[in-house]
Amino acid sequence: MHRSDWSDSMPVCPSCNYKEEYNFCRMCGTQVRHTFTNQEDQLFYPLKDRIMTDDNEPKHQAILSHTHDLVCAITEDGIYEYASPSYAKTLGVCPDELIGQHVLINAYPEDKHLISTILANMSKTKDASTFEYRKFHVNGTIVLLECKGAPIVTATGEIEGFVFVSRDVTEKRQAEKKIQNSEKLSVIGHLAASIAHEVRNPLTTIKGFVQLFSETQQPKKTMIYRDLIQHELSQIEHIIAEFMSLAKREYAYTESLVMTDLLDEVLKQFEPVSEVKNIRIIRHYPKEPSPAH
């Protein structure tokens, strides 16, 4: 068809008589051919007439074949009518096997109610929706998907089905969670340092007076109490030092130790309880204790 013949076949705007190839007049905005349900459809139809043709189908298939997003079309009842090739890579399932299956297939059990509710709301409101849900990969792992869905509305306002575009955000959410945990640990570390600092101040004073007390002549029984106090103060200092390790990163190192010595230290902590409950602990170690790493 020559340009002149094609121009003559174009519809004419009823308001300004402008020959318009699109569905609405670009001169005055008057509708030319189609009946639209809303303004968004009115803006989309000019492009729709040009791209939704058999000539462009190979181009659309090429785009869908190389996208990592999951693109699907389902009926109003939730039955797959189309699934993009990316389903094979993301979920390990052949797209053709999904056709005729319900959209809830392989969905995480706790998310099935969410998906059903969103489909019902979209049918009622005819609005788009964004949400996250989980599906099982064929290997049994869980894939977290961020989904954007929109209803397919006919010119008469009826729902034909839905189109969904989903993206795998599993690694993204895991990374965000690690960052959040890191921030929490940082806050805990600063809090630990602050608490440890406040505890160490009175502890230093107590240790100083106990040291002065130990330099004077005291009865034997009093000296036993003094040694006990010093031992417990040392334990408190050790706990505070470990508590403060949350506030800073320390160089991790390893050292050899005798396992029997470690066991003796552990059993020593249980001696007060075992004596009260009349429990006797028998130690039986090999003659040549081996070091542990």
Side-chain angles (χ1 to χ4, degrees), residues 53-70:
T53 61
D54 293 338
D55 294 338
N56 284 330
E57 184 175 352
K59 188 183 299 182
H60 301 151
Q61 291 295 336
I63 293 174
L64 293 173
S65 298
H66 291 84
T67 181
H68 295 289
D69 294 342
L70 305 181

Side-chain angles (χ1 to χ4, degrees), residues 56-120:
N56 284 330
E57 184 175 352
K59 188 183 299 182
H60 301 151
Q61 291 295 336
I63 293 174
L64 293 173
S65 298
H66 291 84
T67 181
H68 295 289
D69 294 342
L70 305 181
V71 182
C72 72
I74 64 175
T75 65
E76 188 178 6
D77 296 329
I79 305 301
Y80 277 107
E81 290 185 320
Y82 171 79
S84 62
S86 50
Y87 273 82
K89 182 176 181 180
T90 304
L91 297 177
V93 59
C94 178
D96 293 337
E97 296 177 357
L98 293 175
I99 307 303
Q101 299 283 350
H102 197 275
V103 71
L104 295 181
I105 186 174
N106 296 331
Y108 195 72
E110 295 180 5
D111 294 344
K112 288 184 177 181
H113 178 69
L114 169 66
I115 299 172
S116 299
T117 302
I118 290 176
L119 287 176

Side-chain angles (χ1 to χ4, degrees), residues 220-249:
K220 184 177 181 180
K221 187 176 182 180
T222 304
M223 299 294 286
I224 295 175
Y225 294 155
R226 182 208 65 188
D227 294 339
L228 180 61
I229 292 173
Q230 287 182 327
H231 177 266
E232 295 301 320
L233 289 175
S234 298
Q235 288 291 98
I236 293 175
E237 281 190 322
H238 177 69
I239 294 173
I240 291 176
E242 291 185 341
F243 197 52
M244 289 194 66
S245 65
L246 295 173
K248 59 181 179 180
R249 295 182 178 179

Side-chain angles (χ1 to χ4, degrees), residues 160-172:
E160 277 189 351
F162 304 94
V163 175
F164 291 98
V165 179
S166 303
R167 176 168 297 180
D168 184 0
V169 293
T170 306
E171 294 183 359
K172 179 181 177 182

